Amino acid sequence: MVDWNLAVATATRLVRPGPDVSRDEAREIVAELRRHAKAAEEHVRAFTRMIPEGAEPEDTPVLVVDRAGWVRANVAGFREVLRPLLDKMQERRGNIPGGAVLGAVGGKVTGVELGMLLSFLSSRVLGQYETFAPATRELPAAPGGGGRLLLVAPNIVHVERELDVAPHDFRLWVCLHEETHRTQFTAVPWLRDHLEGEIQSFLGETEVDPMTVLERLREAAQSLAGGRPEGEEGEEGRSLVELVQTPAQREILGRLTAVMSLLEGHADYVMDGVGPQVVPSVAEIREKFKERRAKGASRLDMALRKLLGLDAKLRQYRDGERFVRAVVDEVGMDGFNRVWTSPNTLPTKAEIAKPADWVARVHRKAES
């Protein structure tokens, strides 16, 4: 169904070269990012208080990678997460005359398309906590499983030069954000399984009938073009990815959106909370980075961001950070940390927009 090797080869071939640095500079950058990741771990743990004093969760590795390394890690993760859906689609296609030939051709096409998408994204990601790829020599993980923290060195250098900010400060600032994600998953053992369960539920609702998919794509195209039925509002705010979903998938996506808003907003909040203590130029970095996020890039880049739903990710940072800040202001950091108690204490999408409702549900209910 997907030629994964072709996806990697396509992305690697199309990926843009990184900033011009000498071999010695590259070694220094890699070493510094590793040092910053270690320092950020201590700062984040002290600030968030997510890990009780004396407790030591399983460690997960920090990998400083180039753009091609980021692609390989994400293909490995996609391959694992999508396996049940692709097996279902393969089984259905096997009952169609000529299905094997169609599958081989379709796998090549899908591999090229996925590779093109990953090449586009690979120059935009500064870091990522990758949770789903199985452990290999190239992608090590903690002894008991789990993920790994990826820091994409060429992209970090590119952005620090583009913003014209102090490189050492910017690298530590980025590490604070990404280390928060690492802490979230190592301190909250159920979080990875919960996310995987939601993703598998989402994929389990995916239509595998080609005619149904084509009909939904046609409706999505009409909505994006402004041709939705009279009285149907709100479609202009959705990406193509959202528009081809079933009602059940949209419900699951609402829960996933709330969790991702929490994780991203919490990382931004921690980054800004720790930053003034350890990053001298944090105010300048934050201001320039916010301007960069808001401004975007070319028209083509903005169109692709809209199509792929990347604009929604930018809203997650903003809405999630506002939620975390409001809750901490109301009930303190320890009160906020009740959010990590179980899946039932995670905020809903509506509560992300109205933090007081989460406080009322989780705190006042527990105190009554």
Side-chain angles (χ1 to χ4, degrees):
M1 298 301 297
V2 181
D3 189 328
W4 299 106
N5 292 332
L6 183 57
V8 172
T10 301
T12 303
R13 186 174 68 252
L14 295 178
V15 71
R16 288 186 274 176
D20 186 21
V21 297
S22 68
R23 185 170 296 181
D24 287 342
E25 283 179 303
R27 289 197 190 100
E28 290 174 5
I29 291 165
V30 169
E32 183 177 26
L33 286 171
R34 287 183 177 143
R35 289 196 303 271
H36 282 332
K38 184 61 180 175
E41 179 181 3
E42 298 175 12
H43 295 312
V44 168
R45 289 187 179 187
F47 184 81
T48 63
R49 302 202 290 273
M50 291 178 66
I51 299 174
E53 192 173 344
E56 195 58 43
E58 281 192 319
D59 195 19
T60 54
V62 177
L63 307 179
V64 182
V65 298
D66 58 12
R67 290 167 178 172
W70 179 86
V71 167
R72 288 191 292 271
N74 277 269
V75 166
F78 288 152
R79 192 170 191 166
E80 188 69 17
V81 170
L82 294 175
R83 191 186 305 276
L85 172 63
L86 296 180
D87 287 347
K88 183 171 72 171
M89 296 177 72
Q90 185 72 35
E91 181 181 354
R92 187 181 183 95
R93 180 170 281 178
N95 298 325
I96 301 173
V101 176
L102 288 172
V105 174
K108 299 287 185 189
V109 172
T110 307
V112 169
E113 291 173 340
L114 178 60
M116 293 172 66
L117 170 62
L118 288 172
S119 71
F120 170 77
L121 295 174
S122 67
S123 62
R124 286 156 172 77
V125 178
L126 300 181
Q128 173 189 357
Y129 190 78
E130 202 293 314
T131 56
F132 299 117
T136 64
R137 187 188 311 180
E138 190 178 36
L139 289 172
R148 68 284 298 161
L149 178 61
L150 308 176
L151 297 171
V152 191
N155 297 348
I156 293 172
V157 174
H158 171 78
V159 174
E160 72 191 25
R161 290 180 178 179
E162 180 185 311
L163 298 180
D164 190 25
V165 293
H168 303 297
D169 287 3
F170 184 75
R171 293 167 195 174
L172 177 55
W173 188 72
V174 170
C175 286
L176 290 171
H177 181 101
E178 302 307 334
E179 179 58 41
T180 303
H181 288 316
R182 185 165 172 247
T183 298
Q184 290 163 349
F185 282 92
T186 54
V188 187
W190 54 263
L191 184 57
R192 179 189 181 279
D193 290 341
H194 173 70
L195 277 177
E196 185 174 17
E198 290 282 56
I199 291 169
Q200 291 304 328
S201 296
F202 180 89
L203 295 176
E205 293 290 335
T206 300
E207 297 282 359
V208 294
D209 177 64
M211 293 308 295
T212 303
V213 174
L214 285 173
E215 177 63 20
R216 193 161 291 121
L217 283 169
R218 183 188 67 79
E219 294 172 357
Q222 287 181 345
S223 296
L224 288 172
R228 61 184 181 279
E230 186 177 354
E232 186 177 330
E233 301 299 333
E235 299 293 337
E236 69 277 4
R238 292 179 179 159
S239 68
L240 178 60
V241 176
E242 292 172 294
L243 287 168
V244 298
Q245 291 159 8
T246 66
Q249 284 177 315
R250 289 181 185 173
E251 183 178 336
I252 298 167
L253 185 67
R255 297 196 298 269
L256 280 169
T257 298
V259 176
M260 298 312 297
S261 296
L262 170 69
L263 298 181
E264 296 294 358
H266 182 234
D268 262 14
Y269 177 81
V270 172
M271 181 170 61
D272 287 346
V274 175
Q277 306 167 38
V278 297
V279 181
S281 59
V282 65
E284 177 191 2
I285 291 172
R286 187 62 166 146
E287 186 61 31
K288 288 184 175 180
F289 198 75
K290 283 175 66 176
E291 289 177 5
R292 183 179 184 272
R293 271 184 184 172
K295 184 168 56 177
S298 66
R299 285 188 176 182
L300 175 60
D301 186 73
M302 293 174 70
L304 285 168
R305 278 170 38 183
K306 171 65 178 174
L307 185 67
L308 299 172
L310 300 182
D311 281 347
K313 185 170 179 63
L314 297 181
R315 290 195 297 273
Q316 287 173 7
Y317 287 101
R318 183 189 65 234
D319 298 344
E321 195 274 342
R322 188 183 298 125
F323 169 84
V324 175
R325 185 172 300 280
V327 172
V328 173
D329 287 347
E330 178 72 19
V331 295
M333 184 64 75
D334 292 333
F336 165 78
N337 281 340
R338 286 197 193 179
V339 79
W340 312 115
T341 304
S342 75
N344 292 331
T345 56
L346 291 171
T348 64
K349 191 175 179 181
E351 287 170 341
I352 288 288
K354 294 183 177 180
D357 289 354
W358 181 86
V359 172
R361 177 171 68 87
V362 173
H363 279 266
R364 290 168 196 161
K365 183 177 179 182
E367 292 164 2
S368 60

Short mmCIF file of all heavy atoms in Angstrom, two decimals, residues 227-266:
data_model
loop_
_atom_site.label_atom_id
_atom_site.label_comp_id
_atom_site.label_asym_id
_atom_site.label_seq_id
_atom_site.Cartn_x
_atom_site.Cartn_y
_atom_site.Cartn_z
N GLY A 227 -18.18 26.24 -2.36
CA GLY A 227 -19.43 25.76 -2.93
C GLY A 227 -20.21 24.86 -2.01
O GLY A 227 -20.93 23.98 -2.46
N ARG A 228 -20.08 25.03 -0.69
CA ARG A 228 -20.79 24.16 0.25
C ARG A 228 -22.29 24.50 0.23
O ARG A 228 -22.68 25.61 -0.14
CB ARG A 228 -20.23 24.33 1.67
CG ARG A 228 -20.37 25.72 2.23
CD ARG A 228 -19.70 25.80 3.61
NE ARG A 228 -19.85 27.12 4.20
CZ ARG A 228 -19.09 28.15 3.90
NH1 ARG A 228 -18.14 28.03 3.01
NH2 ARG A 228 -19.28 29.33 4.48
N PRO A 229 -23.11 23.58 0.65
CA PRO A 229 -24.56 23.82 0.64
C PRO A 229 -24.93 25.03 1.49
O PRO A 229 -24.27 25.33 2.48
CB PRO A 229 -25.12 22.52 1.25
CG PRO A 229 -24.07 21.49 0.99
CD PRO A 229 -22.77 22.21 1.06
N GLU A 230 -25.98 25.70 1.09
CA GLU A 230 -26.44 26.89 1.79
C GLU A 230 -26.78 26.54 3.24
O GLU A 230 -27.43 25.54 3.52
CB GLU A 230 -27.67 27.47 1.10
CG GLU A 230 -28.13 28.80 1.68
CD GLU A 230 -29.31 29.37 0.92
OE1 GLU A 230 -29.68 28.79 -0.12
OE2 GLU A 230 -29.84 30.40 1.36
N GLY A 231 -26.34 27.39 4.16
CA GLY A 231 -26.63 27.18 5.57
C GLY A 231 -25.60 26.35 6.29
O GLY A 231 -25.61 26.25 7.51
N GLU A 232 -24.65 25.73 5.56
CA GLU A 232 -23.60 24.94 6.21
C GLU A 232 -22.42 25.85 6.46
O GLU A 232 -21.72 26.24 5.55
CB GLU A 232 -23.21 23.76 5.30
CG GLU A 232 -22.21 22.81 5.98
CD GLU A 232 -21.90 21.62 5.09
OE1 GLU A 232 -22.78 21.23 4.30
OE2 GLU A 232 -20.78 21.12 5.17
N GLU A 233 -22.18 26.18 7.71
CA GLU A 233 -21.16 27.17 8.05
C GLU A 233 -19.94 26.50 8.67
O GLU A 233 -19.99 25.38 9.14
CB GLU A 233 -21.74 28.19 9.05
CG GLU A 233 -22.95 28.93 8.51
CD GLU A 233 -22.68 29.75 7.27
OE1 GLU A 233 -21.52 30.17 7.08
OE2 GLU A 233 -23.61 29.96 6.48
N GLY A 234 -18.86 27.24 8.68
CA GLY A 234 -17.68 26.82 9.41
C GLY A 234 -16.69 25.99 8.62
O GLY A 234 -15.59 25.74 9.07
N GLU A 235 -17.02 25.54 7.41
CA GLU A 235 -16.11 24.69 6.65
C GLU A 235 -14.87 25.43 6.20
O GLU A 235 -13.83 24.83 5.98
CB GLU A 235 -16.84 24.11 5.41
CG GLU A 235 -18.04 23.24 5.73
CD GLU A 235 -17.65 21.95 6.43
OE1 GLU A 235 -16.50 21.50 6.29
OE2 GLU A 235 -18.49 21.39 7.14
N GLU A 236 -14.97 26.76 6.04
CA GLU A 236 -13.81 27.49 5.53
C GLU A 236 -12.65 27.45 6.50
O GLU A 236 -11.52 27.71 6.13
CB GLU A 236 -14.19 28.95 5.23
CG GLU A 236 -14.49 29.80 6.47
CD GLU A 236 -15.91 29.65 7.00
OE1 GLU A 236 -16.64 28.83 6.45
OE2 GLU A 236 -16.25 30.35 7.96
N GLY A 237 -12.91 27.10 7.76
CA GLY A 237 -11.84 27.04 8.74
C GLY A 237 -11.16 25.69 8.81
O GLY A 237 -10.27 25.50 9.61
N ARG A 238 -11.58 24.73 7.98
CA ARG A 238 -11.04 23.39 8.07
C ARG A 238 -10.03 23.12 6.95
O ARG A 238 -10.13 23.66 5.86
CB ARG A 238 -12.16 22.35 7.97
CG ARG A 238 -13.09 22.34 9.18
CD ARG A 238 -14.17 21.32 8.99
NE ARG A 238 -15.06 21.28 10.15
CZ ARG A 238 -16.28 20.79 10.10
NH1 ARG A 238 -16.76 20.33 8.99
NH2 ARG A 238 -17.02 20.78 11.19
N SER A 239 -9.09 22.24 7.23
CA SER A 239 -8.14 21.81 6.23
C SER A 239 -8.74 20.67 5.42
O SER A 239 -9.77 20.10 5.79
CB SER A 239 -6.85 21.34 6.90
OG SER A 239 -7.10 20.14 7.62
N LEU A 240 -8.06 20.30 4.34
CA LEU A 240 -8.52 19.17 3.53
C LEU A 240 -8.54 17.90 4.38
O LEU A 240 -9.44 17.07 4.26
CB LEU A 240 -7.59 18.99 2.32
CG LEU A 240 -7.89 17.81 1.40
CD1 LEU A 240 -9.28 17.93 0.81
CD2 LEU A 240 -6.85 17.69 0.30
N VAL A 241 -7.54 17.75 5.26
CA VAL A 241 -7.48 16.57 6.11
C VAL A 241 -8.74 16.46 6.96
O VAL A 241 -9.30 15.37 7.12
CB VAL A 241 -6.23 16.65 7.02
CG1 VAL A 241 -6.20 15.49 8.00
CG2 VAL A 241 -4.96 16.67 6.18
N GLU A 242 -9.23 17.58 7.50
CA GLU A 242 -10.42 17.54 8.34
C GLU A 242 -11.68 17.31 7.51
O GLU A 242 -12.60 16.63 7.94
CB GLU A 242 -10.55 18.86 9.09
CG GLU A 242 -9.48 19.08 10.13
CD GLU A 242 -9.55 20.48 10.72
OE1 GLU A 242 -9.32 21.44 9.99
OE2 GLU A 242 -9.85 20.59 11.91
N LEU A 243 -11.72 17.86 6.31
CA LEU A 243 -12.94 17.81 5.52
C LEU A 243 -13.27 16.42 4.99
O LEU A 243 -14.41 16.15 4.65
CB LEU A 243 -12.83 18.79 4.34
CG LEU A 243 -12.94 20.27 4.73
CD1 LEU A 243 -12.51 21.15 3.56
CD2 LEU A 243 -14.34 20.61 5.16
N VAL A 244 -12.28 15.54 4.89
CA VAL A 244 -12.56 14.20 4.37
C VAL A 244 -12.85 13.20 5.49
O VAL A 244 -12.91 12.01 5.26
CB VAL A 244 -11.39 13.67 3.50
CG1 VAL A 244 -11.18 14.56 2.29
CG2 VAL A 244 -10.10 13.56 4.30
N GLN A 245 -13.08 13.68 6.70
CA GLN A 245 -13.32 12.80 7.82
C GLN A 245 -14.79 12.47 8.00
O GLN A 245 -15.66 13.23 7.60
CB GLN A 245 -12.79 13.44 9.12
CG GLN A 245 -11.28 13.53 9.17
CD GLN A 245 -10.82 14.58 10.15
OE1 GLN A 245 -11.62 15.13 10.90
NE2 GLN A 245 -9.54 14.87 10.13
N THR A 246 -15.02 11.33 8.66
CA THR A 246 -16.38 10.95 9.05
C THR A 246 -16.75 11.70 10.33
O THR A 246 -15.87 12.21 11.04
CB THR A 246 -16.46 9.44 9.31
OG1 THR A 246 -15.66 9.13 10.47
CG2 THR A 246 -15.95 8.64 8.12
N PRO A 247 -18.04 11.77 10.68
CA PRO A 247 -18.43 12.40 11.94
C PRO A 247 -17.73 11.79 13.15
O PRO A 247 -17.33 12.50 14.07
CB PRO A 247 -19.94 12.19 11.98
CG PRO A 247 -20.34 12.11 10.54
CD PRO A 247 -19.20 11.41 9.85
N ALA A 248 -17.59 10.45 13.16
CA ALA A 248 -16.91 9.80 14.29
C ALA A 248 -15.46 10.24 14.38
O ALA A 248 -14.92 10.46 15.47
CB ALA A 248 -17.00 8.28 14.15
N GLN A 249 -14.81 10.37 13.22
CA GLN A 249 -13.42 10.80 13.22
C GLN A 249 -13.28 12.24 13.72
O GLN A 249 -12.32 12.58 14.41
CB GLN A 249 -12.83 10.68 11.82
CG GLN A 249 -12.50 9.25 11.43
CD GLN A 249 -11.98 9.16 10.01
OE1 GLN A 249 -12.55 9.77 9.10
NE2 GLN A 249 -10.92 8.41 9.81
N ARG A 250 -14.24 13.07 13.38
CA ARG A 250 -14.18 14.46 13.85
C ARG A 250 -14.29 14.53 15.38
O ARG A 250 -13.66 15.37 16.02
CB ARG A 250 -15.27 15.29 13.19
CG ARG A 250 -15.01 15.54 11.71
CD ARG A 250 -16.09 16.37 11.07
NE ARG A 250 -15.85 16.48 9.63
CZ ARG A 250 -16.69 17.03 8.77
NH1 ARG A 250 -17.83 17.55 9.21
NH2 ARG A 250 -16.41 17.08 7.48
N GLU A 251 -15.09 13.63 15.95
CA GLU A 251 -15.21 13.59 17.41
C GLU A 251 -13.88 13.18 18.04
O GLU A 251 -13.43 13.78 19.02
CB GLU A 251 -16.31 12.62 17.81
CG GLU A 251 -16.56 12.56 19.30
CD GLU A 251 -17.70 11.61 19.66
OE1 GLU A 251 -18.57 11.36 18.79
OE2 GLU A 251 -17.70 11.12 20.80
N ILE A 252 -13.26 12.15 17.46
CA ILE A 252 -11.96 11.71 17.97
C ILE A 252 -10.92 12.80 17.78
O ILE A 252 -10.09 13.07 18.66
CB ILE A 252 -11.51 10.41 17.26
CG1 ILE A 252 -12.50 9.28 17.55
CG2 ILE A 252 -10.10 10.00 17.70
CD1 ILE A 252 -12.32 8.07 16.66
N LEU A 253 -10.96 13.45 16.62
CA LEU A 253 -10.01 14.52 16.34
C LEU A 253 -10.15 15.66 17.34
O LEU A 253 -9.16 16.28 17.73
CB LEU A 253 -10.19 15.05 14.92
CG LEU A 253 -9.15 16.10 14.50
CD1 LEU A 253 -7.77 15.48 14.38
CD2 LEU A 253 -9.54 16.78 13.20
N GLY A 254 -11.38 15.93 17.79
CA GLY A 254 -11.58 16.96 18.80
C GLY A 254 -10.82 16.63 20.08
O GLY A 254 -10.19 17.51 20.69
N ARG A 255 -10.85 15.35 20.48
CA ARG A 255 -10.12 14.95 21.68
C ARG A 255 -8.61 15.03 21.45
O ARG A 255 -7.86 15.49 22.32
CB ARG A 255 -10.51 13.52 22.09
CG ARG A 255 -11.97 13.37 22.49
CD ARG A 255 -12.21 12.09 23.25
NE ARG A 255 -11.92 10.90 22.47
CZ ARG A 255 -12.81 10.25 21.73
NH1 ARG A 255 -14.06 10.69 21.65
NH2 ARG A 255 -12.49 9.16 21.06
N LEU A 256 -8.17 14.58 20.27
CA LEU A 256 -6.74 14.65 19.96
C LEU A 256 -6.26 16.10 19.90
O LEU A 256 -5.16 16.42 20.36
CB LEU A 256 -6.46 13.95 18.63
CG LEU A 256 -6.35 12.43 18.66
CD1 LEU A 256 -6.34 11.86 17.25
CD2 LEU A 256 -5.09 12.00 19.41
N THR A 257 -7.07 16.97 19.32
CA THR A 257 -6.71 18.38 19.24
C THR A 257 -6.53 18.98 20.62
O THR A 257 -5.60 19.75 20.87
CB THR A 257 -7.78 19.17 18.46
OG1 THR A 257 -7.85 18.65 17.12
CG2 THR A 257 -7.45 20.66 18.41
N ALA A 258 -7.43 18.60 21.55
CA ALA A 258 -7.32 19.12 22.92
C ALA A 258 -6.03 18.65 23.58
O ALA A 258 -5.33 19.42 24.23
CB ALA A 258 -8.53 18.66 23.74
N VAL A 259 -5.68 17.36 23.39
CA VAL A 259 -4.44 16.84 23.99
C VAL A 259 -3.23 17.53 23.39
O VAL A 259 -2.31 17.94 24.10
CB VAL A 259 -4.34 15.31 23.79
CG1 VAL A 259 -3.01 14.80 24.33
CG2 VAL A 259 -5.48 14.61 24.50
N MET A 260 -3.21 17.67 22.06
CA MET A 260 -2.05 18.30 21.42
C MET A 260 -1.95 19.77 21.80
O MET A 260 -0.84 20.30 21.96
CB MET A 260 -2.14 18.14 19.90
CG MET A 260 -2.12 16.69 19.43
SD MET A 260 -0.79 15.69 20.17
CE MET A 260 0.65 16.55 19.54
N SER A 261 -3.08 20.44 21.96
CA SER A 261 -3.04 21.83 22.42
C SER A 261 -2.45 21.92 23.81
O SER A 261 -1.65 22.82 24.11
CB SER A 261 -4.46 22.43 22.42
OG SER A 261 -4.98 22.49 21.11
N LEU A 262 -2.83 20.97 24.68
CA LEU A 262 -2.27 20.93 26.03
C LEU A 262 -0.75 20.73 25.98
O LEU A 262 0.01 21.46 26.62
CB LEU A 262 -2.92 19.79 26.82
CG LEU A 262 -2.26 19.48 28.18
CD1 LEU A 262 -2.49 20.61 29.16
CD2 LEU A 262 -2.80 18.15 28.72
N LEU A 263 -0.30 19.74 25.21
CA LEU A 263 1.13 19.41 25.17
C LEU A 263 1.95 20.56 24.59
O LEU A 263 3.00 20.92 25.12
CB LEU A 263 1.35 18.14 24.35
CG LEU A 263 0.69 16.86 24.88
CD1 LEU A 263 1.02 15.67 23.99
CD2 LEU A 263 1.09 16.58 26.32
N GLU A 264 1.47 21.14 23.49
CA GLU A 264 2.22 22.23 22.86
C GLU A 264 2.16 23.50 23.70
O GLU A 264 3.17 24.20 23.86
CB GLU A 264 1.67 22.50 21.46
CG GLU A 264 1.83 21.36 20.47
CD GLU A 264 3.28 21.06 20.12
OE1 GLU A 264 4.18 21.77 20.62
OE2 GLU A 264 3.51 20.11 19.36
N GLY A 265 0.99 23.80 24.24
CA GLY A 265 0.86 25.00 25.06
C GLY A 265 1.67 24.89 26.34
O GLY A 265 2.29 25.87 26.79
N HIS A 266 1.69 23.70 26.93
CA HIS A 266 2.49 23.49 28.14
C HIS A 266 3.97 23.68 27.84
O HIS A 266 4.70 24.31 28.62
CB HIS A 266 2.23 22.06 28.65
CG HIS A 266 2.95 21.73 29.92
ND1 HIS A 266 3.76 20.62 30.04
CD2 HIS A 266 2.97 22.34 31.14
CE1 HIS A 266 4.25 20.57 31.26
NE2 HIS A 266 3.79 21.60 31.95
#
